[in-house]
Amino acid sequence: MRSEPGEQPEINLVDPKLYSDGDPFVQWRWLRDNEPMYWHAPTELTGFWALTRYEDVRTAYRDSETFSSAQGILLRPTDHGADPGGGRTLALTDPPRHRQLRGLVDSWFAVRSVRELEAEMQAVTRTVVDSALERGSCDFVTDIAARVPLYVICKMMGVPDSDWERLYTLTSQAFGAGDPATRRFAHLEIMGYFEELQAEKADDPADDLVSVLATASIDGAPLSTEDIILNCNNLLVGGTENTRIAASGGMLTLLEHPEQWQHLSEDPSLLQPAVEEILRWTSTATHIMRTAVRPVEIHGRRVEVGDRVTFWLPSANRDERIFEDPDRFDITRKPNRHLALGFGEHFCIGSMLARAELRLLYQELLTRSIRVELDGEPTLLDSIVVNGPERLPVKLTAA
């Protein structure tokens, strides 16, 4: 439902259909202008505060002393209980534990490490694109955008090549299946897989991320088996899900803005700013949640201890107060200080890896002059967690 400027739309940010069939930017725009600190009444989810302006989100991201990640970073149904990774994984810890865990794997995601891995990433990308080209028609989401980051993170984690397809199937079920039972079973299968792999790596460590976790100690104490498994799952999800949706969402956006693709093909030096604009435009993490651990006042509204506070990243990245003409997709946009990869303590550890994967994928298509055309109607995810294409049927043609 579209509203006239200034007219208050019905606010319901937790309706999944809003993201597949509606226009959430109508609600976000009104909230930015009128109620930047908005109390969202409970539904099947607990009630929560919604931050929609860039500066408010950025400030809250930095304030880990007020806003805790340990009690969960996503809205959950009230009857689901606490997240099992709370206080134990990279994504669900606060300082100092977060810094200690991050310190174990940080070097693997540093600029130098990503550059050293680039030739292997390029080979993975070429193999995936070649396979899609052979078929001619494919789903860009599942056949290209999902496979590139999954294969890369599997390689980094020490998953044998022979198991990549198994994990591809399990992650597709865990994050894409409509049936909740199928999703739960797939998650359990993933956990079981890493339980076995970390035991192997503990006995015979190699140069990979699972070996790092399986043999790591913090303050002289080794990580528990459960903590290792949970963090392996965290790395797998973090290394695949958002990049998959950003890559496919970026492709859909470029298909919708062919003049931008043409501009990019004529001037490949624009790849870097193009990737940043794709990250801003897609903002694939729809919301991130924190829990207040001390009272705070924002825009005259008092947040109490225990209150849930959500950051709506697509809204922050279209804030007119920060971005000139924010509803225009522009691969030459500079500056582009988007928050798509987080900020502060929880700035995405794989940010350099994600950027490289996106750049190499589009570079592969451009340098080989591969023509990408829609081959059916795209569908969008009906999710309040991540937003972007669920299905993107395309036809690929080699020059």
Side-chain angles (χ1 to χ4, degrees), residues 99-226:
R99 292 173 193 154
Q100 292 171 326
L101 283 171
R102 191 169 181 132
L104 298 176
V105 297
D106 232 347
S107 63
W108 281 79
F109 298 94
V111 174
R112 181 178 177 180
S113 297
V114 172
R115 283 178 179 163
E116 290 174 352
L117 189 63
E118 188 157 312
E120 292 180 89
M121 288 194 288
Q122 195 168 31
V124 166
T125 304
R126 183 170 296 118
T127 299
V128 169
V129 171
D130 282 344
S131 178
L133 265 173
E134 286 179 15
R135 291 194 299 278
S137 293
C138 70
D139 181 352
F140 197 92
V141 179
T142 58
D143 295 323
I144 297 178
R147 291 180 185 273
V148 170
L150 176 71
Y151 293 170
V152 169
I153 197 66
C154 280
K155 182 177 282 290
M156 294 175 69
M157 295 181 77
V159 174
D161 297 13
S162 56
D163 289 344
W164 290 5
E165 282 304 304
R166 178 185 174 190
L167 280 179
Y168 169 77
T169 301
L170 288 175
T171 54
S172 298
Q173 293 171 344
F175 305 119
D179 175 35
T182 300
R183 292 200 301 268
R184 283 195 298 272
F185 182 76
H187 277 293
L188 289 173
E189 285 279 295
I190 292 170
M191 295 290 194
Y193 177 84
F194 281 116
E195 183 176 13
E196 294 179 5
L197 185 62
Q198 67 84 29
E200 293 174 13
K201 299 293 185 179
D203 291 338
D204 186 18
D207 186 22
D208 57 62
L209 281 167
V210 176
S211 294
V212 169
L213 293 172
T215 58
S217 295
I218 293 179
D219 294 333
L223 297 181
S224 70
T225 298
E226 281 192 3

Side-chain angles (χ1 to χ4, degrees), residues 63-77:
D63 189 0
S64 58
E65 293 183 359
T66 302
F67 300 107
S68 169
S69 303
Q71 298 179 51
I73 61 170
L74 298 172
L75 291 166
R76 295 164 63 88

